């Protein structure tokens, strides 16, 4: 009996998938189909899968070609599956030519001609309204936004606004988007506004974007006054628009997992949190020279305060700031100490002093440690009384 195996996401099941499975089955007598899990797809950067794993499995089964369906949950699984199931042929579409040649050590590898003019990506784009993004600002962070936005389906970067024509044109030319110097024209061309302009302009731009019924993503710090934040969120609610601040850590899947694990008693009741983030900046950088919006706390404070506020909440009994300041009065290093009824926390950030960037969550049964860059949270460990024994690792390896 010839055993064949193939893998895929099979999202929004289409003719290309059907034809691939039909020909895969025809290569042998028994076909195993591996369907990717959501976690695995996310881990490899496939962020916009529409159908659930159950639906995708059902769709593969409905074709009648699969004798067995398995799930693919991690990198490196294919080699083990091939050995485990005594596979004779591994097959996949021709978009992968060459990528799986390493499997030739274990079985025959066949690349089947991909069906033209159809893909899950195409269907996702047809099914959903594309949100046109307009960028306000042309600085360093805006430069990083565009290539990353290209990895996300359902959005397209339409143009950039900058009151300085030269800057708008230079940026637009580089990224092949439109340049706008007229605000009204800019708003007519976009559905979503991403604000990456100097901090002091955030409030005005957010207000005007919401008043033009645009969704808004704004770089941190969104605003510096609580009342301004409250006013803008209230306006967004009234206009039924999304407004959110770009603190990436808050949206990292690993950080969510960390909060879940820490909050579920894995290390007992949490009593101490220490978060540190330092980044050495040049003395003439905006961060160390802007008298109003510069300094360590404004730049990095939102990261180090995030795990503390998420786990301990906002009702601290006491808060104390200690800073080391440069000649211009800006803080080069700041330590914030918070006291809660049942715990204490320290948030440390610095632009002129380097320290170990670590997040530590200590509880009555053990502690969780996340090494730098913990603000991207790709890995963490839980330890107990004997620190050498790691009780839990995320992600599993
Ligand atoms: N496939 C194919 N012809 C197509 C689309 C996919 O033969 N037009 C094959 C792929 O080469 C792969 C399998 O179907 O062997 C599953 O592919 P998958 O990645 O799930 O589908 P795509 O449509 O390529 O998805 P996406 O657009 O998200 O990459």
């Amino acid at each position: 009996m010839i055993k064949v195996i193939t893998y895929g996401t099979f999202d929004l099941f289409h003719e290309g998938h059907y034809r691939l499975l039909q020909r895969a089955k025809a290569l042998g007598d028994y076909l195993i189909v591996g369907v990717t899990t959501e976690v695995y797809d996310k881990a490899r950067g496939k962020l916009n899968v529409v159908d659930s794993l159950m639906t995708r499995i059902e769709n593969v089964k409905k074709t009648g070609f699969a004798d067995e369906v398995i799930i693919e949950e991690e990198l490196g699984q294919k080699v083990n599956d091939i050995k485990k199931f005594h596979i004779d042929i591994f097959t996949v579409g021709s978009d992968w030519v060459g990528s799986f040649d390493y499997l030739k050590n274990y079985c025959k590898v066949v690349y089947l001609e991909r069906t033209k003019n159809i893909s899950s990506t195409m269907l996702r784009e047809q099914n959903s309204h594309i949100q046109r993004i307009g960028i306000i600002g042309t600085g360093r962070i805006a430069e990083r936004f565009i290539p990353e936005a290209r990895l996300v389906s359902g959005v397209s970067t339409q143009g950039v606004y900058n009151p300085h024509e030269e800057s708008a044109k230079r940026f637009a030319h580089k990224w092949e988007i439109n340049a706008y110097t007229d605000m009204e024209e800019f708003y007519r061309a976009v559905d979503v506004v991403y604000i990456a302009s100097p901090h002091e302009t955030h409030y005005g731009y957010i207000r005007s974007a919401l008043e033009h019924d645009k969704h808004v993503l704004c770089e941190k710090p969104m605003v510096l006054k609580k009342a301004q934040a409250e006013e803008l969120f209230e306006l967004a609610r009234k206009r039924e628009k999304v407004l959110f601040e770009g603190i990436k850590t808050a949206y990292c899947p690993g950080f969510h997992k960390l909060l879940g694990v820490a909050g579920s008693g894995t290390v007992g009741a949490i009593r101490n949190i220490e978060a540190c983030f330092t980044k050495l900046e040049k003395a003439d950088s905006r961060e160390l020279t802007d008298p109003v919006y510069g300094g360590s706390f404004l730049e990095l404070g939102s990261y180090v305060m995030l795990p503390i506020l998420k786990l301990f909440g906002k009702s601290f009994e006491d808060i104390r700031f200690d800073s080391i300041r440069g000649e211009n009065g800006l803080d080069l290093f700041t330590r914030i100490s918070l006291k809660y009824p049942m715990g204490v926390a320290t948030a440390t950030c610095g632009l002129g002093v380097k320290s170990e960037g670590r997040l530590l969550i200590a509880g009555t049964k053990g502690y969780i440690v996340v090494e730098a860059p913990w603000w991207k949270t790709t890995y963490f460990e839980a330890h107990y009384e004997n620190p050498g024994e790691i009780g839990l690792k995320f992600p599993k390896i």
Side-chain angles (χ1 to χ4, degrees):
M1 184 169 78
I2 298 174
K3 285 180 111 179
V4 182
I5 198 161
T6 189
Y7 295 85
T9 304
F10 302 103
D11 189 27
L12 301 173
F13 201 88
H14 56 68
E15 194 201 335
H17 295 145
Y18 185 90
R19 296 198 55 236
L20 186 285
L21 295 178
Q22 188 176 39
R23 287 170 293 155
K25 171 75 179 176
L27 289 173
D29 309 300
Y30 190 86
L31 175 65
I32 301 179
V33 181
V35 181
T36 54
T37 62
E38 277 102 359
V39 174
Y40 180 47
D41 275 326
K42 273 193 191 144
R44 63 197 187 115
K46 216 166 176 168
L47 300 176
N48 281 285
V49 176
V50 176
D51 289 337
S52 69
L53 175 60
M54 291 304 279
T55 304
R56 292 181 286 120
I57 290 175
E58 275 312 307
N59 287 337
V60 166
K61 279 188 178 165
K62 268 192 228 151
T63 63
F65 298 129
D67 296 287
E68 193 173 335
V69 176
I70 58 169
I71 58 169
E72 185 183 22
E73 27 187 1
E74 59 195 5
L75 189 72
Q77 186 182 322
K78 292 186 178 78
V79 169
N80 291 332
D81 287 346
I82 288 168
K83 288 195 236 166
K84 182 164 120 192
F85 295 110
H86 307 289
I87 297 298
D88 301 288
I89 302 174
F90 167 89
T91 187
V92 71
S94 54
D95 43 327
W96 295 99
V97 167
S99 303
F100 294 105
D101 287 357
Y102 68 92
L103 294 174
K104 284 181 182 164
N105 293 329
Y106 307 93
C107 65
K108 196 172 158 190
V109 174
V110 176
Y111 297 104
L112 292 168
E113 193 57 40
R114 186 177 162 89
T115 307
K116 299 216 163 38
N117 299 325
I118 181 83
S119 73
S120 305
T121 305
M122 263 171 64
L123 293 176
R124 277 184 219 116
E125 282 172 5
Q126 281 165 15
N127 288 354
S128 67
H129 166 63
I130 302 282
Q131 295 285 332
R132 300 164 303 162
I133 303 181
I135 302 178
I136 297 183
T138 50
R140 276 175 295 164
I141 194 88
E143 294 269 357
R144 283 168 57 186
F145 180 83
I146 297 194
E148 291 189 16
R150 283 186 182 153
L151 299 174
V152 180
S153 57
V155 300
S156 123
T157 309
Q158 173 71 21
V160 65
Y161 168 83
N162 191 321
H164 308 292
E165 195 173 350
E166 263 314 295
S167 307
K169 281 194 172 151
R170 176 194 49 79
F171 190 91
H173 178 73
K174 175 167 178 190
W175 296 103
E176 297 174 344
I177 56 176
N178 299 320
Y180 299 90
T181 48
D182 180 279
M183 201 84 248
E184 294 302 318
E185 198 191 332
F186 171 73
Y187 284 137
R188 277 195 295 276
V190 305
D191 309 300
V192 180
V193 173
Y194 166 58
I195 301 174
S197 55
H199 302 335
E200 63 271 26
T201 62
H202 288 177
Y203 173 79
Y205 282 138
I206 296 172
R207 234 199 124 74
S208 105
L210 290 172
E211 280 165 352
H212 285 79
D213 285 318
K214 306 298 162 192
H215 300 291
V216 179
L217 164 63
C218 183
E219 270 307 323
K220 58 154 199 61
M222 189 175 98
V223 286
L224 295 189
K225 296 218 172 356
K226 189 178 171 204
Q228 289 185 330
E230 283 169 351
E231 176 197 324
L232 293 172
F233 280 118
E234 177 57 18
L235 180 60
R237 198 190 55 76
K238 272 199 199 130
R239 296 269 177 172
E240 297 183 345
K241 289 290 159 288
V242 175
L243 163 62
F244 71 106
E245 189 181 27
I247 304 178
K248 63 174 179 282
T249 311
Y251 305 97
C252 281
F255 187 71
H256 274 267
K257 179 92 181 179
L258 171 76
L259 294 180
V261 169
S264 57
T266 316
V267 290
I270 301 167
R271 295 286 183 249
N272 179 38
I273 304 173
E274 292 169 25
C276 178
F277 188 169
T278 60
K279 185 166 82 174
L280 289 183
E281 285 290 352
K282 293 203 183 80
D284 60 355
S285 64
R286 178 199 56 77
E287 289 85 345
L288 286 179
T289 52
D290 184 328
V292 183
Y293 293 91
S296 305
F297 182 69
L298 279 189
E299 194 56 29
L300 301 172
S302 49
Y303 288 117
V304 288
M305 293 298 290
L306 185 70
I308 298 171
L309 295 175
K310 289 278 186 193
L311 290 167
F312 275 168
K314 290 185 285 185
S315 308
F316 44 83
E317 290 173 338
D318 193 26
I319 184 164
R320 179 193 155 100
F321 286 71
D322 289 301
S323 295
I324 297 166
R325 296 185 185 277
E327 280 168 13
N328 58 8
L330 287 176
D331 65 311
L332 298 171
F333 187 80
T334 288
R335 192 180 56 216
I336 306 113
S337 312
L338 298 103
K339 190 169 163 358
Y340 287 84
M342 291 302 284
V344 290
T346 322
T348 313
C349 49
L351 295 175
V353 175
K354 189 69 194 166
S355 186
E356 188 187 2
R358 208 166 62 134
L359 171 62
L360 186 80
I361 299 165
T364 50
K365 290 187 185 153
Y367 64 92
I368 297 174
V369 64
V370 200
E371 303 296 348
W374 64 262
W375 43 94
K376 295 182 185 162
T377 327
T378 50
Y379 179 73
F380 63 81
E381 292 175 355
H383 296 248
Y384 299 99
E385 175 59 21
N386 172 0
E389 261 175 47
I390 301 173
L392 175 98
K393 288 182 182 181
F394 170 85
K396 275 191 271 149
I397 41 173

